[in-house]
Amino acid sequence: MENKSEFKSPVIKSAEFITSAGKPSEYPPEDLPEIAFAGRSNVGKSTLVNCLVNRNKLVKTSKTPGRTQRINFFEVNKYLRFVDLPGYGYAKVSKQMRGQWENMIETYLLSRKNLKALVWIIDIRRDPAEFEYNFGLWLNENNIPYINILTKADKLSGTKQRNHKQNIVKKMGAEYSDFVIASGLKKTGRDEIWSRILNLTGATND
Ligand code: GDP
């Protein structure tokens, strides 16, 4: 595996659902560092978050991709929150609904003072769409730090994983080390993702 992290993920002592919100007045207080998760519907976001917190069903995997979703807040180990943003870009929803989701995500990302980083999840097998390239630019313009994850890596051989990663890195105008190869299903990349999360939140590994 190419992620040769020496870092060991923290022991998960607690992981609890706190609340779900559609607008800022429904968000919990800004008293804990937050890490948000975003990606296209069906990309494997719920599976990845569940893998990070060692719970099978904390975040419900979406059997109905594209359903109207809210922002879900989870408290992890009492020292940080994971924030599950609604999946975007599902082909079957109308432009108007898509606009509402984008608005919900954008409002959260731009207004949240305790947001430390966005974990942005891409399927390693897919070519990044123009939207994803533009979203990267938008995050940079707005100084929102992000951690790029290429998930579902178990669906490709090691060589193909590296080739696809090279291709995505090139298309996104990024650095090779900006992206973490992972599989929520097989729990690969977990230590490396946790290492990046704790680096950005300043939380300690205990
Ligand atoms: P979400 O809509 O982004 O939350 O995606 P889910 O976590 O619900 O996953 C969507 C589908 O992809 C489900 O059928 C999962 O079992 C599958 N899936 C998720 N992560 C992985 C992964 O790392 N590898 C493989 N092979 N399948 C995955």
Side-chain angles (χ1 to χ4, degrees), residues 110-128:
L110 292 178
S111 69
R112 202 64 175 155
K113 294 196 181 59
N114 53 335
L115 173 68
K116 299 300 175 188
L118 173 70
V119 175
W120 183 17
I121 307 159
I122 296 174
D123 187 325
I124 193 167
R125 297 165 304 168
R126 291 180 66 119
D127 266 355

mmCIF file with all atom_site columns, all heavy atoms in Angstrom, residues 110-128:
data_model
loop_
_atom_site.group_PDB
_atom_site.id
_atom_site.type_symbol
_atom_site.label_atom_id
_atom_site.label_alt_id
_atom_site.label_comp_id
_atom_site.label_asym_id
_atom_site.label_entity_id
_atom_site.label_seq_id
_atom_site.pdbx_PDB_ins_code
_atom_site.Cartn_x
_atom_site.Cartn_y
_atom_site.Cartn_z
_atom_site.occupancy
_atom_site.B_iso_or_equiv
_atom_site.pdbx_formal_charge
_atom_site.auth_seq_id
_atom_site.auth_comp_id
_atom_site.auth_asym_id
_atom_site.auth_atom_id
_atom_site.pdbx_PDB_model_num
ATOM 1   N N   . LEU A 1 110 ? -18.791 28.457 4.287   1.00 0.00 ? 110 LEU A N   1
ATOM 2   C CA  . LEU A 1 110 ? -18.338 29.847 4.365   1.00 0.00 ? 110 LEU A CA  1
ATOM 3   C C   . LEU A 1 110 ? -18.588 30.484 5.729   1.00 0.00 ? 110 LEU A C   1
ATOM 4   O O   . LEU A 1 110 ? -17.910 31.446 6.097   1.00 0.00 ? 110 LEU A O   1
ATOM 5   C CB  . LEU A 1 110 ? -19.025 30.698 3.283   1.00 0.00 ? 110 LEU A CB  1
ATOM 6   C CG  . LEU A 1 110 ? -18.616 30.388 1.840   1.00 0.00 ? 110 LEU A CG  1
ATOM 7   C CD1 . LEU A 1 110 ? -19.392 31.268 0.876   1.00 0.00 ? 110 LEU A CD1 1
ATOM 8   C CD2 . LEU A 1 110 ? -17.117 30.584 1.629   1.00 0.00 ? 110 LEU A CD2 1
ATOM 9   N N   . SER A 1 111 ? -19.552 29.938 6.482   1.00 0.00 ? 111 SER A N   1
ATOM 10  C CA  . SER A 1 111 ? -19.913 30.635 7.722   1.00 0.00 ? 111 SER A CA  1
ATOM 11  C C   . SER A 1 111 ? -19.327 30.006 8.986   1.00 0.00 ? 111 SER A C   1
ATOM 12  O O   . SER A 1 111 ? -19.266 30.648 10.030  1.00 0.00 ? 111 SER A O   1
ATOM 13  C CB  . SER A 1 111 ? -21.435 30.707 7.867   1.00 0.00 ? 111 SER A CB  1
ATOM 14  O OG  . SER A 1 111 ? -21.969 29.419 8.110   1.00 0.00 ? 111 SER A OG  1
ATOM 15  N N   . ARG A 1 112 ? -18.879 28.772 8.899   1.00 0.00 ? 112 ARG A N   1
ATOM 16  C CA  . ARG A 1 112 ? -18.562 28.027 10.117  1.00 0.00 ? 112 ARG A CA  1
ATOM 17  C C   . ARG A 1 112 ? -17.157 28.367 10.619  1.00 0.00 ? 112 ARG A C   1
ATOM 18  O O   . ARG A 1 112 ? -16.159 27.991 9.994   1.00 0.00 ? 112 ARG A O   1
ATOM 19  C CB  . ARG A 1 112 ? -18.681 26.546 9.780   1.00 0.00 ? 112 ARG A CB  1
ATOM 20  C CG  . ARG A 1 112 ? -18.902 25.648 10.939  1.00 0.00 ? 112 ARG A CG  1
ATOM 21  C CD  . ARG A 1 112 ? -20.184 25.884 11.654  1.00 0.00 ? 112 ARG A CD  1
ATOM 22  N NE  . ARG A 1 112 ? -20.368 24.878 12.688  1.00 0.00 ? 112 ARG A NE  1
ATOM 23  C CZ  . ARG A 1 112 ? -21.097 25.050 13.760  1.00 0.00 ? 112 ARG A CZ  1
ATOM 24  N NH1 . ARG A 1 112 ? -21.748 26.180 13.938  1.00 0.00 ? 112 ARG A NH1 1
ATOM 25  N NH2 . ARG A 1 112 ? -21.195 24.099 14.647  1.00 0.00 ? 112 ARG A NH2 1
ATOM 26  N N   . LYS A 1 113 ? -17.074 29.005 11.766  1.00 0.00 ? 113 LYS A N   1
ATOM 27  C CA  . LYS A 1 113 ? -15.770 29.472 12.262  1.00 0.00 ? 113 LYS A CA  1
ATOM 28  C C   . LYS A 1 113 ? -14.907 28.331 12.796  1.00 0.00 ? 113 LYS A C   1
ATOM 29  O O   . LYS A 1 113 ? -13.693 28.414 12.809  1.00 0.00 ? 113 LYS A O   1
ATOM 30  C CB  . LYS A 1 113 ? -15.985 30.514 13.362  1.00 0.00 ? 113 LYS A CB  1
ATOM 31  C CG  . LYS A 1 113 ? -16.628 31.780 12.847  1.00 0.00 ? 113 LYS A CG  1
ATOM 32  C CD  . LYS A 1 113 ? -16.476 32.925 13.847  1.00 0.00 ? 113 LYS A CD  1
ATOM 33  C CE  . LYS A 1 113 ? -17.144 34.183 13.331  1.00 0.00 ? 113 LYS A CE  1
ATOM 34  N NZ  . LYS A 1 113 ? -18.609 33.984 13.083  1.00 0.00 ? 113 LYS A NZ  1
ATOM 35  N N   . ASN A 1 114 ? -15.533 27.278 13.283  1.00 0.00 ? 114 ASN A N   1
ATOM 36  C CA  . ASN A 1 114 ? -14.778 26.157 13.858  1.00 0.00 ? 114 ASN A CA  1
ATOM 37  C C   . ASN A 1 114 ? -14.509 25.045 12.834  1.00 0.00 ? 114 ASN A C   1
ATOM 38  O O   . ASN A 1 114 ? -14.063 23.961 13.204  1.00 0.00 ? 114 ASN A O   1
ATOM 39  C CB  . ASN A 1 114 ? -15.523 25.579 15.074  1.00 0.00 ? 114 ASN A CB  1
ATOM 40  C CG  . ASN A 1 114 ? -16.958 25.217 14.751  1.00 0.00 ? 114 ASN A CG  1
ATOM 41  O OD1 . ASN A 1 114 ? -17.541 25.789 13.826  1.00 0.00 ? 114 ASN A OD1 1
ATOM 42  N ND2 . ASN A 1 114 ? -17.535 24.279 15.481  1.00 0.00 ? 114 ASN A ND2 1
ATOM 43  N N   . LEU A 1 115 ? -14.765 25.331 11.546  1.00 0.00 ? 115 LEU A N   1
ATOM 44  C CA  . LEU A 1 115 ? -14.455 24.347 10.495  1.00 0.00 ? 115 LEU A CA  1
ATOM 45  C C   . LEU A 1 115 ? -12.935 24.315 10.280  1.00 0.00 ? 115 LEU A C   1
ATOM 46  O O   . LEU A 1 115 ? -12.331 25.331 9.963   1.00 0.00 ? 115 LEU A O   1
ATOM 47  C CB  . LEU A 1 115 ? -15.149 24.726 9.184   1.00 0.00 ? 115 LEU A CB  1
ATOM 48  C CG  . LEU A 1 115 ? -14.762 23.877 7.974   1.00 0.00 ? 115 LEU A CG  1
ATOM 49  C CD1 . LEU A 1 115 ? -15.264 22.442 8.104   1.00 0.00 ? 115 LEU A CD1 1
ATOM 50  C CD2 . LEU A 1 115 ? -15.278 24.503 6.680   1.00 0.00 ? 115 LEU A CD2 1
ATOM 51  N N   . LYS A 1 116 ? -12.331 23.156 10.455  1.00 0.00 ? 116 LYS A N   1
ATOM 52  C CA  . LYS A 1 116 ? -10.875 23.048 10.300  1.00 0.00 ? 116 LYS A CA  1
ATOM 53  C C   . LYS A 1 116 ? -10.484 22.553 8.921   1.00 0.00 ? 116 LYS A C   1
ATOM 54  O O   . LYS A 1 116 ? -9.424  22.909 8.412   1.00 0.00 ? 116 LYS A O   1
ATOM 55  C CB  . LYS A 1 116 ? -10.281 22.105 11.359  1.00 0.00 ? 116 LYS A CB  1
ATOM 56  C CG  . LYS A 1 116 ? -10.502 22.552 12.778  1.00 0.00 ? 116 LYS A CG  1
ATOM 57  C CD  . LYS A 1 116 ? -9.864  23.919 13.015  1.00 0.00 ? 116 LYS A CD  1
ATOM 58  C CE  . LYS A 1 116 ? -10.183 24.418 14.403  1.00 0.00 ? 116 LYS A CE  1
ATOM 59  N NZ  . LYS A 1 116 ? -9.742  25.803 14.601  1.00 0.00 ? 116 LYS A NZ  1
ATOM 60  N N   . ALA A 1 117 ? -11.312 21.692 8.349   1.00 0.00 ? 117 ALA A N   1
ATOM 61  C CA  . ALA A 1 117 ? -11.016 21.205 6.998   1.00 0.00 ? 117 ALA A CA  1
ATOM 62  C C   . ALA A 1 117 ? -12.206 20.462 6.430   1.00 0.00 ? 117 ALA A C   1
ATOM 63  O O   . ALA A 1 117 ? -13.055 19.970 7.161   1.00 0.00 ? 117 ALA A O   1
ATOM 64  C CB  . ALA A 1 117 ? -9.811  20.271 7.011   1.00 0.00 ? 117 ALA A CB  1
ATOM 65  N N   . LEU A 1 118 ? -12.208 20.408 5.114   1.00 0.00 ? 118 LEU A N   1
ATOM 66  C CA  . LEU A 1 118 ? -13.200 19.616 4.396   1.00 0.00 ? 118 LEU A CA  1
ATOM 67  C C   . LEU A 1 118 ? -12.501 18.361 3.870   1.00 0.00 ? 118 LEU A C   1
ATOM 68  O O   . LEU A 1 118 ? -11.459 18.453 3.218   1.00 0.00 ? 118 LEU A O   1
ATOM 69  C CB  . LEU A 1 118 ? -13.749 20.421 3.223   1.00 0.00 ? 118 LEU A CB  1
ATOM 70  C CG  . LEU A 1 118 ? -14.675 19.644 2.288   1.00 0.00 ? 118 LEU A CG  1
ATOM 71  C CD1 . LEU A 1 118 ? -16.000 19.338 2.980   1.00 0.00 ? 118 LEU A CD1 1
ATOM 72  C CD2 . LEU A 1 118 ? -14.917 20.425 1.009   1.00 0.00 ? 118 LEU A CD2 1
ATOM 73  N N   . VAL A 1 119 ? -13.065 17.207 4.198   1.00 0.00 ? 119 VAL A N   1
ATOM 74  C CA  . VAL A 1 119 ? -12.581 15.962 3.590   1.00 0.00 ? 119 VAL A CA  1
ATOM 75  C C   . VAL A 1 119 ? -13.412 15.763 2.329   1.00 0.00 ? 119 VAL A C   1
ATOM 76  O O   . VAL A 1 119 ? -14.626 15.610 2.384   1.00 0.00 ? 119 VAL A O   1
ATOM 77  C CB  . VAL A 1 119 ? -12.745 14.756 4.549   1.00 0.00 ? 119 VAL A CB  1
ATOM 78  C CG1 . VAL A 1 119 ? -12.346 13.464 3.835   1.00 0.00 ? 119 VAL A CG1 1
ATOM 79  C CG2 . VAL A 1 119 ? -11.914 14.952 5.809   1.00 0.00 ? 119 VAL A CG2 1
ATOM 80  N N   . TRP A 1 120 ? -12.729 15.811 1.223   1.00 0.00 ? 120 TRP A N   1
ATOM 81  C CA  . TRP A 1 120 ? -13.412 15.817 -0.057  1.00 0.00 ? 120 TRP A CA  1
ATOM 82  C C   . TRP A 1 120 ? -13.153 14.477 -0.741  1.00 0.00 ? 120 TRP A C   1
ATOM 83  O O   . TRP A 1 120 ? -12.005 14.128 -1.001  1.00 0.00 ? 120 TRP A O   1
ATOM 84  C CB  . TRP A 1 120 ? -12.866 16.992 -0.858  1.00 0.00 ? 120 TRP A CB  1
ATOM 85  C CG  . TRP A 1 120 ? -13.526 17.176 -2.160  1.00 0.00 ? 120 TRP A CG  1
ATOM 86  C CD1 . TRP A 1 120 ? -14.720 16.655 -2.571  1.00 0.00 ? 120 TRP A CD1 1
ATOM 87  C CD2 . TRP A 1 120 ? -13.022 17.941 -3.236  1.00 0.00 ? 120 TRP A CD2 1
ATOM 88  N NE1 . TRP A 1 120 ? -14.996 17.068 -3.838  1.00 0.00 ? 120 TRP A NE1 1
ATOM 89  C CE2 . TRP A 1 120 ? -13.972 17.843 -4.263  1.00 0.00 ? 120 TRP A CE2 1
ATOM 90  C CE3 . TRP A 1 120 ? -11.871 18.701 -3.430  1.00 0.00 ? 120 TRP A CE3 1
ATOM 91  C CZ2 . TRP A 1 120 ? -13.787 18.486 -5.478  1.00 0.00 ? 120 TRP A CZ2 1
ATOM 92  C CZ3 . TRP A 1 120 ? -11.692 19.344 -4.632  1.00 0.00 ? 120 TRP A CZ3 1
ATOM 93  C CH2 . TRP A 1 120 ? -12.652 19.247 -5.636  1.00 0.00 ? 120 TRP A CH2 1
ATOM 94  N N   . ILE A 1 121 ? -14.235 13.762 -0.979  1.00 0.00 ? 121 ILE A N   1
ATOM 95  C CA  . ILE A 1 121 ? -14.107 12.364 -1.395  1.00 0.00 ? 121 ILE A CA  1
ATOM 96  C C   . ILE A 1 121 ? -14.441 12.188 -2.871  1.00 0.00 ? 121 ILE A C   1
ATOM 97  O O   . ILE A 1 121 ? -15.487 12.617 -3.346  1.00 0.00 ? 121 ILE A O   1
ATOM 98  C CB  . ILE A 1 121 ? -15.027 11.480 -0.526  1.00 0.00 ? 121 ILE A CB  1
ATOM 99  C CG1 . ILE A 1 121 ? -14.729 11.747 0.956   1.00 0.00 ? 121 ILE A CG1 1
ATOM 100 C CG2 . ILE A 1 121 ? -14.836 10.010 -0.849  1.00 0.00 ? 121 ILE A CG2 1
ATOM 101 C CD1 . ILE A 1 121 ? -15.861 11.348 1.873   1.00 0.00 ? 121 ILE A CD1 1
ATOM 102 N N   . ILE A 1 122 ? -13.527 11.549 -3.571  1.00 0.00 ? 122 ILE A N   1
ATOM 103 C CA  . ILE A 1 122 ? -13.680 11.301 -5.011  1.00 0.00 ? 122 ILE A CA  1
ATOM 104 C C   . ILE A 1 122 ? -13.524 9.794  -5.247  1.00 0.00 ? 122 ILE A C   1
ATOM 105 O O   . ILE A 1 122 ? -12.742 9.140  -4.556  1.00 0.00 ? 122 ILE A O   1
ATOM 106 C CB  . ILE A 1 122 ? -12.584 12.094 -5.796  1.00 0.00 ? 122 ILE A CB  1
ATOM 107 C CG1 . ILE A 1 122 ? -12.788 13.602 -5.606  1.00 0.00 ? 122 ILE A CG1 1
ATOM 108 C CG2 . ILE A 1 122 ? -12.562 11.734 -7.266  1.00 0.00 ? 122 ILE A CG2 1
ATOM 109 C CD1 . ILE A 1 122 ? -11.681 14.461 -6.221  1.00 0.00 ? 122 ILE A CD1 1
ATOM 110 N N   . ASP A 1 123 ? -14.262 9.262  -6.184  1.00 0.00 ? 123 ASP A N   1
ATOM 111 C CA  . ASP A 1 123 ? -14.118 7.850  -6.572  1.00 0.00 ? 123 ASP A CA  1
ATOM 112 C C   . ASP A 1 123 ? -12.846 7.741  -7.406  1.00 0.00 ? 123 ASP A C   1
ATOM 113 O O   . ASP A 1 123 ? -12.714 8.415  -8.429  1.00 0.00 ? 123 ASP A O   1
ATOM 114 C CB  . ASP A 1 123 ? -15.351 7.445  -7.391  1.00 0.00 ? 123 ASP A CB  1
ATOM 115 C CG  . ASP A 1 123 ? -15.396 5.955  -7.697  1.00 0.00 ? 123 ASP A CG  1
ATOM 116 O OD1 . ASP A 1 123 ? -14.327 5.351  -7.911  1.00 0.00 ? 123 ASP A OD1 1
ATOM 117 O OD2 . ASP A 1 123 ? -16.510 5.411  -7.741  1.00 0.00 ? 123 ASP A OD2 1
ATOM 118 N N   . ILE A 1 124 ? -11.926 6.878  -6.972  1.00 0.00 ? 124 ILE A N   1
ATOM 119 C CA  . ILE A 1 124 ? -10.624 6.792  -7.661  1.00 0.00 ? 124 ILE A CA  1
ATOM 120 C C   . ILE A 1 124 ? -10.772 6.357  -9.116  1.00 0.00 ? 124 ILE A C   1
ATOM 121 O O   . ILE A 1 124 ? -9.913  6.640  -9.948  1.00 0.00 ? 124 ILE A O   1
ATOM 122 C CB  . ILE A 1 124 ? -9.653  5.856  -6.899  1.00 0.00 ? 124 ILE A CB  1
ATOM 123 C CG1 . ILE A 1 124 ? -8.229  6.020  -7.416  1.00 0.00 ? 124 ILE A CG1 1
ATOM 124 C CG2 . ILE A 1 124 ? -10.124 4.400  -6.944  1.00 0.00 ? 124 ILE A CG2 1
ATOM 125 C CD1 . ILE A 1 124 ? -7.154  5.405  -6.569  1.00 0.00 ? 124 ILE A CD1 1
ATOM 126 N N   . ARG A 1 125 ? -11.902 5.733  -9.445  1.00 0.00 ? 125 ARG A N   1
ATOM 127 C CA  . ARG A 1 125 ? -12.054 5.213  -10.812 1.00 0.00 ? 125 ARG A CA  1
ATOM 128 C C   . ARG A 1 125 ? -12.556 6.268  -11.794 1.00 0.00 ? 125 ARG A C   1
ATOM 129 O O   . ARG A 1 125 ? -12.535 6.067  -12.998 1.00 0.00 ? 125 ARG A O   1
ATOM 130 C CB  . ARG A 1 125 ? -13.052 4.034  -10.822 1.00 0.00 ? 125 ARG A CB  1
ATOM 131 C CG  . ARG A 1 125 ? -12.585 2.854  -10.003 1.00 0.00 ? 125 ARG A CG  1
ATOM 132 C CD  . ARG A 1 125 ? -13.736 1.909  -9.750  1.00 0.00 ? 125 ARG A CD  1
ATOM 133 N NE  . ARG A 1 125 ? -14.839 2.613  -9.105  1.00 0.00 ? 125 ARG A NE  1
ATOM 134 C CZ  . ARG A 1 125 ? -16.059 2.111  -8.960  1.00 0.00 ? 125 ARG A CZ  1
ATOM 135 N NH1 . ARG A 1 125 ? -16.343 0.928  -9.423  1.00 0.00 ? 125 ARG A NH1 1
ATOM 136 N NH2 . ARG A 1 125 ? -17.006 2.811  -8.355  1.00 0.00 ? 125 ARG A NH2 1
ATOM 137 N N   . ARG A 1 126 ? -13.058 7.383  -11.240 1.00 0.00 ? 126 ARG A N   1
ATOM 138 C CA  . ARG A 1 126 ? -13.713 8.376  -12.112 1.00 0.00 ? 126 ARG A CA  1
ATOM 139 C C   . ARG A 1 126 ? -12.776 9.514  -12.502 1.00 0.00 ? 126 ARG A C   1
ATOM 140 O O   . ARG A 1 126 ? -11.946 9.918  -11.707 1.00 0.00 ? 126 ARG A O   1
ATOM 141 C CB  . ARG A 1 126 ? -14.884 9.013  -11.370 1.00 0.00 ? 126 ARG A CB  1
ATOM 142 C CG  . ARG A 1 126 ? -16.039 8.101  -11.127 1.00 0.00 ? 126 ARG A CG  1
ATOM 143 C CD  . ARG A 1 126 ? -17.095 8.878  -10.402 1.00 0.00 ? 126 ARG A CD  1
ATOM 144 N NE  . ARG A 1 126 ? -17.619 9.921  -11.280 1.00 0.00 ? 126 ARG A NE  1
ATOM 145 C CZ  . ARG A 1 126 ? -18.891 9.999  -11.654 1.00 0.00 ? 126 ARG A CZ  1
ATOM 146 N NH1 . ARG A 1 126 ? -19.750 9.118  -11.194 1.00 0.00 ? 126 ARG A NH1 1
ATOM 147 N NH2 . ARG A 1 126 ? -19.300 10.940 -12.436 1.00 0.00 ? 126 ARG A NH2 1
ATOM 148 N N   . ASP A 1 127 ? -12.982 10.036 -13.681 1.00 0.00 ? 127 ASP A N   1
ATOM 149 C CA  . ASP A 1 127 ? -12.293 11.273 -14.049 1.00 0.00 ? 127 ASP A CA  1
ATOM 150 C C   . ASP A 1 127 ? -12.953 12.416 -13.301 1.00 0.00 ? 127 ASP A C   1
ATOM 151 O O   . ASP A 1 127 ? -14.178 12.478 -13.261 1.00 0.00 ? 127 ASP A O   1
ATOM 152 C CB  . ASP A 1 127 ? -12.471 11.538 -15.548 1.00 0.00 ? 127 ASP A CB  1
ATOM 153 C CG  . ASP A 1 127 ? -11.319 10.994 -16.342 1.00 0.00 ? 127 ASP A CG  1
ATOM 154 O OD1 . ASP A 1 127 ? -10.359 10.502 -15.719 1.00 0.00 ? 127 ASP A OD1 1
ATOM 155 O OD2 . ASP A 1 127 ? -11.401 11.043 -17.585 1.00 0.00 ? 127 ASP A OD2 1
ATOM 156 N N   . PRO A 1 128 ? -12.187 13.321 -12.706 1.00 0.00 ? 128 PRO A N   1
ATOM 157 C CA  . PRO A 1 128 ? -12.835 14.459 -12.048 1.00 0.00 ? 128 PRO A CA  1
ATOM 158 C C   . PRO A 1 128 ? -13.613 15.288 -13.066 1.00 0.00 ? 128 PRO A C   1
ATOM 159 O O   . PRO A 1 128 ? -13.132 15.531 -14.170 1.00 0.00 ? 128 PRO A O   1
ATOM 160 C CB  . PRO A 1 128 ? -11.676 15.268 -11.454 1.00 0.00 ? 128 PRO A CB  1
ATOM 161 C CG  . PRO A 1 128 ? -10.419 14.596 -11.862 1.00 0.00 ? 128 PRO A CG  1
ATOM 162 C CD  . PRO A 1 128 ? -10.729 13.380 -12.652 1.00 0.00 ? 128 PRO A CD  1
#
